[in-house]
Amino acid sequence: MIRLTDLLAFTKAVELGSFSAAADALDLSPQMVGKHVQLLEKHLGLRLLYRNTRRQQLTDAGRNFYDRSKTILAEVEAAEALAAEARNEPSGLLRINAPVTFGIHALSPRLPEYLRENPRVSVDLAITNRRVELLEEGFDVIFRVGDIGDSSLVAQRLAPYRLVLCAAPAYLSAHKRITAPGDLVGHECLVFKHPTLQTRWTFTGPGGPINVAVKGRMTADSGEALLSMARAGMGLLFQPLELVAADLKAGHLVKVMPRYPAPSRPFHLLYPQDRIITPKLRSFLDFAKRAFGPSRT
C-alpha cells in the first residue's frame, strides 16, 4: 500500500520544483525527500521523475500519477477537516492570498492575534498584486480589492479600501498650493505602476467623480518605494490609508485636498461557495470580519 508520506514528498517535489524546496516545506532533509520518492517509484514499479544536477522533469506516468496524487491528498485533508469539525476545533493549514500593501501593513500585523486564538491552525500567506485564481491555485481565502468577478465565489464584505492623497510638508511648502484636483497639473506625482491601473487619479467632487491625468519622474510598482520618495519630499503620494497612516500620525506626511477624497473601492474576502465551512475557515472569516469588517469604517 502507498504511504501518505511518500505521496506527500512526491507532490511537494513536483509543485516546488526540487527536492530541496520540498524538504524545506516538509521540514525534512533533501535526502529524505529523495528516499520517499524512490520508495514510491519502487512500490509502483514506475519511474515518476527524471532528475539530474540542474533540473527535474516528470515522466508521462509521473504526470498522470501526480494529478491523481493531488486528488488523494485533497481528500485526506478534507477528511481531516471533517474530523476537526467534529471536534469543533480549528486546525490545519490555511492558505491566504492578499494584495501587497494590505497584506504587509494591515493583515500581517493582525495575524499573530489570529494564530494565538487558534493554536492548531498554521497559515501560508501569499502576498501579491497579481489577480490570483482561488480554486486553481489552491487558496482557502483571498482578499480582493474592486470587482469580485468570479460568481462561483462567496464574498464577505469588508471595510471599503481607501486611498489618501498626501505629501511631505517640505514638498508642499516648496510648490504651488493645491486646493482642487485641477491644481495637480504640473506637480510631481509619485505614480504607482500596475497593469490594471492608468496614470489617472480619481477624486470625489460636489458634482461626482473627477479624473486627473498625472505625471511624475518617479514610477514604481511598490507603494513602499513611493512612500520613501514622498517622505523625502519628492512628490505627491496617492496610496492606501494603511500604508501612510503612521506617517500621517507622525506628521511626516500631511493630507492634501481633503475636500476631494478618493472614492472608496469595494473590498471583500472570497472563498468557494461549495467549500465546507470548517472550523478553520469559520475562525478566519470571523476574525477578518472583526479585524477588517464594515464596522471599521
Side-chain angles (χ1 to χ4, degrees):
M1 182 178 292
I2 294 173
R3 300 189 311 174
L4 285 176
T5 50
D6 298 341
L7 207 61
L8 184 59
F10 167 67
T11 55
K12 280 295 180 185
V14 174
E15 290 168 356
L16 301 180
S18 70
F19 285 5
S20 296
D24 289 341
L26 298 173
D27 197 22
L28 299 172
S29 68
Q31 294 77 15
M32 184 57 68
V33 171
K35 183 176 181 180
H36 282 302
V37 174
Q38 290 171 4
L39 288 171
L40 183 60
E41 290 179 325
K42 183 178 180 180
H43 175 81
L44 295 171
L46 292 170
R47 186 70 176 269
L48 301 176
L49 284 171
Y50 289 123
R51 187 167 175 267
N52 57 34
T53 55
R54 297 194 312 175
R55 52 178 282 182
Q56 68 179 32
Q57 183 176 354
L58 280 168
T59 65
D60 289 341
R63 190 172 296 107
N64 292 331
F65 188 76
Y66 168 68
D67 291 337
R68 292 296 182 93
S69 299
K70 289 196 300 181
T71 302
I72 292 169
L73 291 172
E75 288 296 328
V76 171
E77 184 177 354
E80 291 178 336
L82 288 173
E85 186 174 15
R87 297 193 305 268
N88 200 30
E89 181 180 7
S91 65
L93 178 63
L94 184 71
R95 299 179 180 90
I96 305 169
N97 168 260
V100 173
T101 296
F102 174 80
I104 293 174
H105 297 278
L107 178 58
S108 294
R110 297 295 299 267
L111 277 179
E113 173 188 340
Y114 172 75
L115 290 171
R116 282 193 293 267
E117 292 174 352
N118 301 277
R120 292 178 58 83
V121 176
S122 55
V123 166
D124 180 357
L125 174 62
I127 297 178
T128 176
N129 286 329
R130 177 178 63 85
R131 190 181 179 95
V132 305
E133 298 298 330
L134 185 148
L135 294 172
E136 288 82 350
E137 299 183 49
F139 291 106
D140 294 295
V141 291
I142 58 177
F143 289 88
R144 181 168 290 173
V145 180
D147 178 40
I148 296 172
D150 191 344
S151 60
S152 68
L153 302 178
V154 180
Q156 176 172 295
R157 188 166 62 92
L158 304 175
Y161 208 66
R162 297 170 56 195
L163 298 178
V164 176
L165 180 66
C166 55
Y171 176 86
L172 295 174
S173 64
H175 295 79
K176 67 178 182 179
R177 189 180 178 193
I178 304 170
T179 59
D183 297 335
L184 295 176
V185 177
H187 272 273
E188 277 291 335
C189 296
L190 303 170
V191 180
F192 182 71
K193 181 172 62 176
H194 189 275
T196 64
L197 299 177
Q198 299 178 344
T199 52
R200 286 184 171 273
W201 291 352
T202 302
F203 304 91
T204 302
I210 302 172
N211 295 299
V212 181
V214 296
K215 296 181 180 179
R217 293 187 299 151
M218 181 68 190
T219 300
D221 62 357
S222 164
E224 287 73 16
L226 296 177
L227 175 60
S228 296
M229 299 295 291
R231 288 171 179 156
M234 297 303 296
L236 296 163
L237 183 69
F238 194 47
Q239 283 290 302
L241 177 60
E242 59 259 22
L243 177 64
V244 300
D247 285 275
L248 290 173
K249 185 176 181 179
H252 302 147
L253 300 174
V254 295
K255 289 185 178 181
V256 176
M257 213 168 58
R259 293 175 54 213
Y260 294 85
S264 297
R265 302 183 66 192
F267 192 37
H268 295 89
L269 183 61
L270 307 180
Y271 60 95
Q273 62 181 352
D274 58 352
R275 181 71 52 88
I276 297 173
I277 306 295
T278 62
K280 174 184 67 175
L281 180 55
R282 172 52 59 196
S283 68
F284 190 77
L285 295 176
D286 291 344
F287 162 78
K289 183 177 181 180
R290 183 174 73 246
F292 311 114
S295 61
R296 296 174 61 246
T297 58

